C-alpha cells in the first residue's frame, strides 16, 4: 500500500463529515472519490496530502512517497513564461543542468590555464557524476516533455514563451496541472481536474493518466472520464466511506446490489421485531409467559442494536419545465461570416444554419473558435463581415460561467428566482428550486454564501423559468455534481426548442445532442447524428487521411440542409464519376465477402439476444419474489436466490457488453465495404 487511511474522523463544529473512514490505495490504483456536495471529498484529499489533520485516526504513506495535490482554486503565478514555470516542476533536473553548465565553464578555464592536473581531474569526475544523475533523471528530454504536456493541455507553441500574467485563472489551472504531471509524484490527488478543460483536452488527459506510473485519487463529476480511468471507487455517504472495486459503471451496479440487500435485511429485521413485540405485548403480564416475554424484549434490543441503517434516499423532484414558443423551421443562419482578432482570422466565409429541434454540441480542438462561434450564434459577438439571421419568433438565451456573477448576493435563493417568475405561486417557485436540488431551508440562503455549484444551479434554474426557444450554453455543468448534472440533462432532453452547447462532459453530449458540429480550421462540419456517430465518422476520416485514397476518384463536397459542409457525399453528387459494371461487380463481391466474414458474429449475436432475454426473464422473476414477504422466511432459499441474482446481473452485463462489441464489429465491417 502506498496510502493507508485508518479510522479517520473529521468534524467541523457539530457537523461530522466522516467517522471511522478507512482507505487503502495501492501503488498503481486509480481511485474515484465520490459523494454529494459537502460530504467531505476535498477535506479527505487535504487530510491525505497533509494540508489538514484528522480529529481521530491516521494517514500513513509508504516510505519516501511523494504526494502531488491539484486544488480547485487558481494558483498565483508570475515572473516567468509558461514554459519556464512548467520547468520549475523539474527543479532538481534544472538545478543539475545549471551546475553542469558552470562545471563546463570551469573545466574550459582550467584547460586553458594549464593549472594543476588534479584540479581538472576533480572537476571532470564531478562533471561525470552529475551528468549520470542528469541523464538518469531524464534531463535531456525534460523540456521536450514539458512542451508535449503543455500542448496536450491546450497551450499553443507560441503561448509557451508568454508570461503567465497574461493568462486567465482557468489557463493557470491547466498550467498547475501540467506542473504536477511533470513532477511525477508517487501519488496524484486531483480535485476536479477536468473543470477548466475542453473536450479534446479531457480526452488527452484521460489517455495520459491511464499510462501514469503512480497512484491516482481524484474527485470528479465527469462520468465518462471516470469510466475510462478508474479501477476503484470510494464513496463518502452518511459519514461513512465505502470502497468498491471496478469501474464507475460497475460501482453503480455494486452499490445498487448492496443497497437492495440492505433494504431486504432491514425489512426482515423490522418484521422480526414486530413479531417478537406482538408476543411481548400479548404475554408480558401473564405469569406463565413472563420469562419468555422478557427474553424477547432482550432479543428486540439486540436486533435494534444490529439494525441495518438504510442510506438516505437522494431526493429527486419531478418538474415539468415550461416549453418555449414555437419558432420557424430555420432558427439561425450565418452566411459568409468573417471573424478575426487582429491578424488572427478565426472564420472566413463561414456558412451555417441551425433548425428547430436541433440539439447541437460544438466540438473541435482547443483554440479552433468554438466559443467565438457560440457567441456569434447567441448574438453576444458580432461578426466582422457577413450576415447573421434569426428565424421567426426566435429569442436567444446565453449561459456562461460569468452569468454566475450577475446573481444578486444580497437576495435569498427563493427571492432571486421569484424575481424572474412573475405570476408564479410560491409552490411553483419552490418546486422548480426543488428540481434543482434546493429544498427546505436551502431556499432561504443568501446567494453570497452559495458554493460555485449552487450558484450554477440557481443561474440555470433562472434561465429555465421561461426559457427562450434558442439556448446557447457554454460549459453549463462546470461545478455541478452528478445529481445536479442529471437535473440539467433531464431539462435539456425534454426541451422542445433549439440548443447549442460547448461542454467537456461527454455523458451530457451523449444524452442530449442529436447533431455534432465540428469546428476545425475555420470551418464548421455538420455530423447529423449523436456523439458516438461523430467519433466513428471522425476516426474513419482520420484513417482515410493517414492512408491516402485507395483509388483516384472525382469528389465534390455537398452542402447539407444545415448550410455547412457535410461529411457525407451523396451518391448523386455533381462531379462524381458514374460506376462501371466492373466496379459494381467488384463492390458486390466485397459485400458478399463481408457477409461471409460476419456470418459467425451474426450467429453469436442471435445467440446472445436469446440468452439475454432468458436471463432478463429470470432476473424479473427473482425481483418479483423479493416483493413477497414469505420469500424471506426460508433463509437457505433466500441466500441461494440472492446469490443467483448477483450472478445474473454480472452475466447479463457481460453478455450485453459482448453484444455491443459484436454489433459494432458487424457495423464497422459493413461500413468498410
Amino acid at each position: 500500500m502506498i496510502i493507508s487511511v485508518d479510522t479517520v474522523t473529521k468534524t467541523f463544529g457539530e457537523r461530522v463529515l466522516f467517522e471511522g473512514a478507512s482507505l487503502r490505495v495501492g501503488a498503481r490504483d486509480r481511485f474515484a472519490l465520490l459523494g454529494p456536495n459537502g460530504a467531505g471529498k476535498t477535506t479527505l484529499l487535504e487530510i491525505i496530502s497533509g494540508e489538514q489533520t484528522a480529529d481521530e485516526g491516521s494517514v500513513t504513506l509508504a516510505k519516501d512517497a511523494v504526494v502531488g495535490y491539484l486544488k480547485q482554486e487558481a494558483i498565483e503565478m508570475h515572473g516567468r513564461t509558461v514554459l519556464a514555470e512548467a520547468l520549475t516542476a523539474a527543479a532538481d533536473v534544472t538545478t543539475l543542468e545549471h551546475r553542469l553548465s558552470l562545471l563546463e565553464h570551469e573545466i574550459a578555464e582550467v584547460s586553458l590555464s594549464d593549472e594543476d592536473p588534479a584540479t581538472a581531474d576533480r572537476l571532470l569526475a564531478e562533471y561525470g557524476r552529475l551528468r549520470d544523475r542528469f541523464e538518469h533523471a531524464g534531463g535531456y528530454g525534460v523540456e521536450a516533455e514539458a512542451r508535449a504536456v503543455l500542448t496536450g493541455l491546450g497551450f499553443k507553441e507560441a503561448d509557451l514563451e508568454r508570461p503567465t500574467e497574461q493568462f486567465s485563472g482557468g489557463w493557470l489551472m491547466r498550467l498547475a496541472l501540467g506542473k504536477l504531471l511533470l513532477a511525477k509524484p508517487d501519488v496524484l490527488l486531483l480535485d476536479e481536474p477536468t473543470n477548466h478543460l475542453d473536450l479534446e483536452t479531457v480526452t488527452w488527459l484521460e489517455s495520459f493518466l491511464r499510462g501514469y506510473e503512480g497512484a491516482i485519487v481524484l474527485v470528479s463529476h465527469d462520468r465518462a472520464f471516470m469510466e475510462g480511468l478508474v479501477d476503484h471507487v470510494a464513496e463518502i455517504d452518511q459519514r461513512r466511506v465505502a470502497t468498491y472495486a471496478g469501474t464507475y459503471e460497475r460501482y453503480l451496479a455494486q452499490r445498487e446490489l448492496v443497497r437492495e440487500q440492505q433494504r431486504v435485511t432491514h425489512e426482515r429485521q423490522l418484521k422480526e421485531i414486530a413479531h417478537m413485540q406482538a408476543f411481548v405485548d400479548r404475554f408480558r403480564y401473564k405469569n406463565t409467559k413472563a420469562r419468555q416475554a422478557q427474553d424477547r424484549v432482550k432479543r428486540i434490543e439486540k436486533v435494534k442494536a444490529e439494525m441495518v441503517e438504510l442510506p438516505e434516499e437522494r431526493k429527486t423532484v419531478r418538474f415539468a419545465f415550461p416549453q418555449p414558443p414555437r419558432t420557424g423551421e430555420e432558427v439561425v443562419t450565418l452566411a459568409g461570416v468573417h471573424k478575426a482578432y487582429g491578424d488572427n482570422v478565426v472564420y472566413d466565409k463561414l456558412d451555417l444554419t441551425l433548425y428547430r429541434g436541433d440539439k447541437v454540441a460544438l466540438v473541435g480542438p482547443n483554440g479552433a473558435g468554438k466559443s467565438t462561434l457560440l457567441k456569434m450564434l447567441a448574438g453576444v459577438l458580432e461578426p466582422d463581415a457577413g450576415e447573421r439571421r434569426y428565424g421567426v419568433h426566435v429569442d436567444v438565451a446565453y449561459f456562461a460561467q460569468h452569468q454566475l456573477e450577475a446573481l444578486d448576493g444580497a437576495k435569498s435563493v427563493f427571492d432571486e428566482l421569484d424575481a424572474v417568475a412573475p405570476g408564479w405561486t410560491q409552490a411553483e417557485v419552490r418546486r422548480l428550486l426543488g428540481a434543482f436540488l434546493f429544498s427546505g431551508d436551502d431556499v432561504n440562503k443568501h446567494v453570497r454564501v452559495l458554493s460555485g455549484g449552487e450558484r450554477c444551479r440557481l443561474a440555470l434554474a433562472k434561465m429555465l423559468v421561461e426559457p427562450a426557444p434558442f439556448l446557447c450554453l457554454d460549459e453549463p455543468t462546470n461545478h455541478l455534481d452528478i445529481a445536479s448534472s442529471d437535473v440539467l440533462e433531464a431539462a435539456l432532453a425534454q426541451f422542445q426548442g433549439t440548443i447549442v452547447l460547448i461542454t467537456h462532459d461527454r455523458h451530457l453530449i451523449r444524452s442530449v445532442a442529436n447533431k455534432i458540429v465540428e469546428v476545425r480550421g475555420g470551418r464548421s462540419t455538420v455530423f447529423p447524428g449523436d456523439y458516438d456517430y461523430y467519433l466513428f465518422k471522425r476516426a474513419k476520416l482520420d484513417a482515410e487521411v493517414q492512408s491516402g485514397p485507395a483509388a483516384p476518384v472525382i469528389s465534390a463536397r455537398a452542402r447539407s440542409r444545415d448550410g455547412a459542409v457535410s461529411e457525407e457525399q451523396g451518391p448523386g453528387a455533381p462531379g462524381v464519376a458514374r460506376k462501371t459494371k466492373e466496379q459494381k461487380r467488384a463492390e458486390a463481391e466485397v459485400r458478399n465477402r463481408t457477409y461471409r466474414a460476419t456470418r459467425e458474429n451474426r450467429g453469436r449475436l442471435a445467440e446472445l439476444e436469446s440468452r439475454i432475454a432468458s436471463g432478463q426473464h429470470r432476473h424479473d422473476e427473482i425481483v418479483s419474489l423479493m416483493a413477497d414477504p414469505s420469500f424471506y422466511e426460508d433463509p437457505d432459499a433466500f441466500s441461494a436466490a440472492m446469490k443467483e441474482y448477483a450472478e445474473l446481473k454480472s452475466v447479463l452485463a457481460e453478455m450485453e457488453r459482448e453484444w455491443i462489441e459484436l454489433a459494432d464489429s458487424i457495423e464497422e465491417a459493413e461500413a468498410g465495404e
Side-chain angles (χ1 to χ4, degrees), residues 373-399:
L373 178 56
L374 183 69
K375 289 176 181 178
M376 288 196 294
L377 289 169
V380 174
L381 189 64
E382 294 298 322
D384 299 333
E387 184 182 9
R388 176 183 57 230
R389 297 190 304 270
Y390 291 119
V392 178
H393 304 309
V394 173
D395 290 320
V396 188
Y398 174 68
F399 175 87

Side-chain angles (χ1 to χ4, degrees), residues 83-298:
L83 180 60
E85 182 67 38
L87 288 173
T88 62
D92 292 344
V93 173
T94 52
T95 300
L96 283 173
E97 186 176 26
H98 179 66
R99 179 61 183 155
L100 285 171
S101 178
L102 292 177
L103 283 173
E104 288 169 359
H105 184 68
E106 287 187 52
I107 291 168
E109 287 185 344
V110 168
S111 300
L112 288 173
S113 63
D114 291 328
E115 289 187 15
D116 182 2
T119 301
D121 290 344
R122 178 179 58 79
L123 292 173
L124 286 168
E126 183 182 358
Y127 184 82
R129 288 194 303 273
L130 291 180
R131 188 175 64 180
D132 286 345
R133 284 174 56 193
F134 185 70
E135 290 176 352
H136 182 71
Y140 290 114
V142 69
E143 182 172 330
E145 186 178 3
R147 289 178 180 274
V149 168
L150 291 171
T151 52
L153 289 172
F155 289 94
K156 296 178 182 177
E157 189 67 30
D159 292 334
L160 304 188
E161 302 306 324
R162 291 172 55 194
T164 56
E165 293 88 342
Q166 296 181 7
F167 290 87
S168 66
W171 282 99
L172 292 181
M173 286 298 298
R174 293 189 189 211
L175 180 51
L177 175 57
K179 289 174 63 176
L180 199 58
L181 299 180
L182 287 168
K184 300 177 183 175
D186 302 298
V187 181
L188 279 175
L189 305 179
L190 306 175
D191 198 350
E192 295 290 359
T194 64
N195 256 4
H196 299 278
L197 306 182
D198 57 24
L199 184 58
E200 293 209 354
T201 308
V202 169
T203 305
W204 176 88
L205 178 63
E206 180 186 313
S207 176
F208 183 95
L209 292 178
R210 274 202 296 265
Y212 191 75
E213 294 182 356
I216 299 171
V217 181
L218 66 91
V219 173
S220 178
H221 299 130
D222 188 329
R223 283 167 279 199
F225 181 71
M226 290 189 288
E227 180 63 20
L229 180 61
V230 306
D231 52 25
H232 290 78
V233 171
E235 181 184 41
I236 304 177
D237 193 23
Q238 293 184 265
R239 304 178 303 282
R240 304 292 183 194
V241 175
T243 303
Y244 302 83
T247 64
Y248 176 75
E249 291 295 332
R250 184 163 174 75
Y251 143 74
L252 292 177
Q254 289 181 77
R255 184 185 64 173
E256 184 54 36
L257 180 59
V258 167
R259 291 186 175 180
E260 198 164 325
Q261 291 170 338
Q262 288 175 330
R263 286 191 289 269
V264 168
T265 304
H266 185 78
E267 290 296 324
R268 179 177 56 77
Q269 289 173 324
L270 289 177
K271 184 177 179 181
E272 185 179 357
I273 289 171
H275 181 73
M276 291 188 293
Q277 188 64 50
F279 183 93
V280 170
D281 293 342
R282 183 177 178 184
F283 296 113
R284 79 163 71 203
Y285 300 114
K286 290 191 176 182
N287 292 335
T288 57
K289 299 286 186 179
R291 178 176 294 179
Q292 291 151 299
Q294 192 59 36
D295 287 343
R296 280 167 172 75
V297 168
K298 292 178 181 178

Side-chain angles (χ1 to χ4, degrees), residues 523 525-526 555-561 563-574:
R523 303 177 65 189
T525 305
V526 175
S555 64
R557 286 197 172 270
R559 289 281 168 187
S560 72
R561 169 180 178 265
V565 177
S566 170
E567 99 291 353
E568 302 280 9
Q569 289 185 29

Side-chain angles (χ1 to χ4, degrees), residues 309-449:
E309 184 180 354
L310 290 180
E312 182 181 342
E313 293 294 332
R314 296 278 174 260
K315 291 182 180 179
T316 56
V317 181
R318 295 184 180 274
F319 184 84
F321 291 93
Q323 292 300 335
R326 185 178 175 86
T327 67
E329 185 180 8
E330 289 191 8
V331 173
V332 61
T333 296
L334 299 179
V337 161
H338 178 92
K339 186 64 186 176
Y341 297 99
D343 295 332
N344 179 26
V345 177
V346 183
Y347 294 105
D348 188 34
K349 297 180 180 177
L350 171 69
D351 295 327
L352 179 66
T353 299
L354 301 181
Y355 295 84
R356 185 181 63 245
D358 281 348
K359 295 181 178 178
V360 177
L362 300 182
V363 303
N366 179 68
K370 299 185 294 293
S371 291
T372 297
L373 178 56
L374 183 69
K375 289 176 181 178
M376 288 196 294
L377 289 169
V380 174
L381 189 64
E382 294 298 322
D384 299 333
E387 184 182 9
R388 176 183 57 230
R389 297 190 304 270
Y390 291 119
V392 178
H393 304 309
V394 173
D395 290 320
V396 188
Y398 174 68
F399 175 87
Q401 291 299 308
H402 68 265
Q403 257 76 23
L404 277 58
E405 306 305 319
L407 299 173
D408 187 343
K411 286 184 177 179
S412 69
V413 169
F414 181 90
D415 290 340
E416 183 71 8
L417 186 62
D418 187 52
V420 295
W424 283 36
T425 66
Q426 285 196 10
E428 288 171 329
V429 173
R430 283 182 173 273
R431 195 158 65 249
L432 178 56
L433 286 171
F436 278 90
L437 309 182
F438 291 103
S439 59
D441 292 338
D442 289 343
V443 303
N444 298 318
K445 282 183 180 179
H446 279 90
V447 171
R448 62 172 173 267
V449 304

